[in-house]
Amino acid sequence: MIDEKTLQEHLLATAAEQDDLLPRDLADDLAAGRRRLLRHRLATGAAALLTTGAVLAATLGVTGALHQAKPEEVAPAKPQQVQATTDLDTVITGLLTKHFDPGEQHLGYGLRPFKLVTRTGYRGTLREVHWGAKGDWRAGALKVGLFNSTKPDEQRCGSYYERFPKPLICKPVTLPNGRTAELGRQGGKAELRYVQPSGDIVYVAVDPSTFGDGSRMGITDAKLFAFATDPALVLPEVTSAQREAADLLTGHLPVASQIDAAALKILGGDLRPLDILRDYPGECSFRMDWLKAGVKSRIEFGVTPRPIAGTCSDLFRTPTCTKIADAELYERTTSAFGIRFTEYGATRRTPDGHRVWVLVTYTAAKRPPTGITQQQLLAVLARPELELR
Amino acid sequence: MAARDEEFSEYVAQRRTQLRRIAYLLCGDVHKAEDLVQTALMKLYVAWNRVQRSGNVDAYVRRILVNSGIDESRRPWRRENAGLDGLDPVATEGLAFEDRGALLAALNTLPSGQRRVVVLRFFVGLTIEETATDLHCSTGTVKSQSSRALARLNELLTPDFRAVGGPR
């Protein structure tokens, strides 16, 4: 018969094989927990004044108001554009939870945020979220969009199910607020498209059968109407500077391989690209892990176009930057998480006025002796590959 | 909030690796395991004050992991691969320990209840009573599922897993 002790040893060996895969920073877990807590409070109505004020402020584009409402800022600091994206995600996921899943038992938002995408004639966000039920964590799905488009049939009602054997027929309905929307309903399946008084469009498709039986999602017409007309559901405006910055990025971004090559030339070692953040208004950054001599560094490279470049202090949310030649440096250690974080960054203006920057983070009280030096950061920043083409 | 952050961070720093291992053994997929752990930690953060007062944070997170149903996510795969609902044809040939996926493949053939029992009893090291509490079932159920799971693993795995001194 199988030996229990041997089984235990093999279970441990098998489980440990994946320890180094998909590394995750403690800061990310903490930030995710805080977002979840905020959604929870939105859903339960606790701290209503605080959160409602913060949400309205955030959706009106007053970035930073949400963070002031939080009792404590998330550290380490991130460049402002990234945080603004998180705000939009927080607002939408909070409202989805509030209207469709107040018990927080079903909706799974995964890792990808609702991000504000801008392109010619379009500003908005659209993505799917999972709906889990007992026995199947992806029993259903919601496709949710909030956008403004010059195309009148952008994400039209009925588009989700048009390839299905029985497409939904959308018809005009009058909402409790007296305005009209388009609604298609077939049992648990539904699609709603609502034009807000602002002209922005709310789109929701309810798919109860992505996998298995998710027919008990319970997303009624009334819940859809309440979500679509929630006054907190506001598409942030893109400022003229952001718009100009986004235009500057279009077609001129360095590609990931160029960033990797620039980093490798200076740093050597083993680079593991994690993700690329782009398409936000004026935002583009590349995150990667750098491994050398047993030390892992989290590095983020970014390019911020001239109209929204700001200062070093703006970028890193720090009161002090140290100027060295044509670059500026900053370094900070924080113990906000019980664990010490050390982060340091460097930035410089390119001859065209754009700002290139690099940010390094360690989960440690100080920079490891074999970690990336400030001189290396400055050398990376000087690489032409990082500049807009 | 500062105290919550501090305590939560210390807990995550100490326990995250173990939680990922539990999730990985339950679902057999590192991406799903990571999703599961992140979800569990988000719920833990929200409930931190209450859970910490109860004095058993590990049990709270562990119960989220084992009761999440993520191990059922292999169902779609099974549907897409008709005929695999019973024995895994690879597994019937006997799985060598040298095959890194041997144990996972064998675990994957177990019904979800048995798989949970194996992970809680033989990886986490819970007693029969503790396992029953986590799974909201009787100790008799834990015993029977444990017995069936071991018998099944015994069929599938090579003698490398067996006791030198014979049956226990």
Side-chain angles (χ1 to χ4, degrees):
Chain A
M1 190 65 178
I2 194 166
D3 176 59
E4 293 179 10
K5 185 172 184 301
T6 307
L7 174 60
Q8 187 174 26
E9 290 169 357
H10 286 313
L11 283 169
L12 176 58
T14 300
E17 282 174 359
Q18 49 78 53
D19 282 353
D20 294 333
L21 301 175
L22 303 180
R24 170 121 163 138
D25 276 358
L26 176 58
D28 294 334
D29 280 327
L30 189 55
R34 285 172 159 174
R35 288 196 297 273
R36 174 91 172 204
L37 182 60
L38 183 60
R39 283 202 295 270
H40 179 77
R41 287 176 173 167
L42 272 169
T44 58
L49 285 175
L50 180 70
T51 49
T52 301
V55 166
L56 286 173
T59 52
L60 288 169
V62 187
T63 57
L66 184 60
H67 307 293
Q68 290 165 16
K70 293 179 182 177
E72 188 182 350
E73 184 55 78
V74 172
K78 288 290 185 182
Q80 288 181 341
Q81 301 92 325
V82 176
Q83 202 61 59
T85 298
T86 303
D87 291 346
L88 177 63
D89 183 63
T90 301
V91 170
I92 295 181
T93 56
L95 293 174
L96 287 171
T97 301
K98 173 185 172 184
H99 292 288
F100 301 140
D101 185 26
E104 298 190 58
Q105 298 297 309
H106 301 290
L107 283 174
Y109 300 109
L111 300 178
R112 292 187 308 148
F114 282 94
K115 59 181 183 179
L116 186 65
V117 175
T118 58
R119 57 179 184 265
T120 304
Y122 178 90
R123 167 178 59 101
T125 185
L126 177 74
R127 59 161 289 207
E128 288 189 15
V129 296
H130 293 304
W131 180 278
K134 185 174 176 58
D136 196 339
W137 68 300
R138 291 184 295 185
L142 291 176
K143 189 168 188 178
V144 181
L146 177 63
F147 57 91
N148 193 298
S149 174
T150 54
K151 289 169 60 179
D153 61 345
E154 182 89 48
Q155 207 60 44
R156 61 180 174 75
C157 185
S159 58
Y160 186 89
Y161 282 105
E162 65 186 349
R163 292 189 185 87
F164 282 58
K166 290 183 179 178
L168 290 188
I169 306 297
C170 290
K171 296 178 179 176
V173 292
T174 302
L175 307 187
N177 65 0
R179 292 180 62 83
T180 302
E182 288 179 280
L183 175 71
R185 168 68 73 176
Q186 193 180 92
K189 301 174 184 174
E191 275 188 81
L192 177 79
R193 191 178 191 272
Y194 168 63
V195 182
Q196 297 178 322
S198 62
D200 299 331
I201 296 163
V202 181
Y203 172 85
V204 183
V206 182
D207 183 348
S209 57
T210 303
F211 296 94
D213 176 18
S215 59
R216 291 187 294 275
M217 291 170 76
I219 298 183
T220 62
D221 293 352
K223 289 180 181 178
L224 286 170
F225 299 162
F227 171 77
T229 58
D230 193 307
L233 189 61
V234 179
L235 184 63
E237 288 292 340
V238 177
T239 65
S240 58
Q242 286 175 320
R243 196 176 302 279
E244 187 183 348
D247 291 342
L248 278 168
L249 286 179
T250 304
H252 300 286
L253 285 174
V255 298
S257 59
Q258 290 176 306
I259 299 288
D260 295 348
L264 274 176
K265 279 177 184 166
I266 304 299
L267 303 176
D270 179 15
L271 278 178
R272 298 182 181 176
L274 296 173
D275 49 24
I276 302 171
L277 306 171
R278 64 173 73 186
D279 281 335
Y280 311 110
E283 177 188 315
C284 165
S285 67
F286 302 78
R287 287 202 313 168
M288 60 187 72
D289 280 338
W290 176 72
L291 304 167
K292 192 171 185 181
V295 174
K296 186 182 84 171
S297 312
R298 172 64 53 86
I299 313 177
E300 186 167 349
F301 296 96
V303 184
T304 308
R306 180 176 56 244
I308 58 170
T311 66
C312 174
S313 295
D314 295 335
L315 179 68
F316 294 121
R317 293 181 173 179
T318 181
T320 54
C321 287
T322 304
K323 192 165 179 59
I324 296 182
D326 67 339
E328 290 177 276
L329 298 166
Y330 101 101
E331 182 162 0
R332 169 164 53 193
T333 299
T334 175
S335 59
F337 303 150
I339 304 295
R340 302 285 290 240
F341 284 85
T342 296
E343 63 172 10
Y344 48 98
T347 179
R348 76 175 177 86
R349 290 269 198 159
T350 68
D352 292 331
H354 310 309
R355 184 171 288 287
V356 292
W357 52 269
V358 56
L359 180 68
V360 181
T361 307
Y362 294 102
T363 312
K366 59 182 180 181
R367 185 177 66 79
T370 55
I372 298 171
T373 67
Q374 289 188 334
Q375 288 309 313
Q376 285 176 311
L377 289 189
L378 293 174
V380 171
L381 279 187
R383 297 295 311 179
E385 292 94 334
L386 268 62
E387 298 180 12
L388 296 180
R389 290 172 288 168
Chain B
M1 184 69 84
R4 181 197 299 250
D5 286 356
E6 188 119 354
E7 293 160 357
F8 174 81
S9 298
E10 286 179 8
Y11 176 81
V12 173
Q14 290 170 7
R15 306 295 291 159
R16 196 179 207 290
T17 299
Q18 177 70 356
L19 295 175
R20 246 277 288 271
R21 289 175 177 178
I22 294 171
Y24 181 63
L25 291 176
L26 285 170
C27 69
D29 180 289
V30 66
H31 293 275
K32 290 173 187 168
E34 177 58 24
D35 279 351
L36 182 55
V37 170
Q38 287 180 23
T39 301
L41 290 178
M42 283 192 292
K43 290 181 177 177
L44 174 65
Y45 183 85
V46 172
W48 179 260
N49 293 337
R50 174 174 56 83
V51 173
Q52 203 204 25
R53 277 197 301 273
S54 74
N56 202 341
V57 179
D58 276 344
Y60 177 85
V61 181
R62 201 171 57 236
R63 286 166 193 165
I64 294 175
L65 296 180
V66 296
N67 294 309
S68 67
I70 197 166
D71 53 319
E72 301 285 350
S73 60
R74 51 201 173 103
R75 279 182 177 175
W77 178 85
R78 286 188 164 198
R79 282 200 297 271
E80 293 163 10
N81 293 270
L84 297 182
D85 264 338
L87 289 180
D88 181 334
V90 176
T92 57
E93 297 173 8
L95 294 162
F97 173 60
E98 289 73 21
D99 178 356
R100 285 174 167 247
L103 184 51
L104 274 182
L107 285 173
N108 207 34
T109 68
L110 299 179
S112 60
Q114 291 181 24
R115 185 171 181 156
R116 289 174 179 137
V117 167
V118 167
V119 174
L120 292 179
R121 289 275 290 120
F122 305 115
F123 178 67
V124 180
L126 299 186
T127 64
I128 289 173
E129 290 74 19
E130 289 169 334
T131 303
T133 303
D134 268 18
L135 296 178
H136 308 296
C137 66
S138 69
T139 55
T141 301
V142 172
K143 287 177 187 172
S144 63
Q145 291 200 324
S146 177
S147 175
R148 289 186 194 127
L150 290 179
R152 177 70 178 142
L153 293 176
N154 191 55
E155 288 172 23
L156 297 176
L157 297 169
T158 68
D160 290 341
F161 282 82
R162 291 174 193 154
V164 175
R168 294 166 64 108

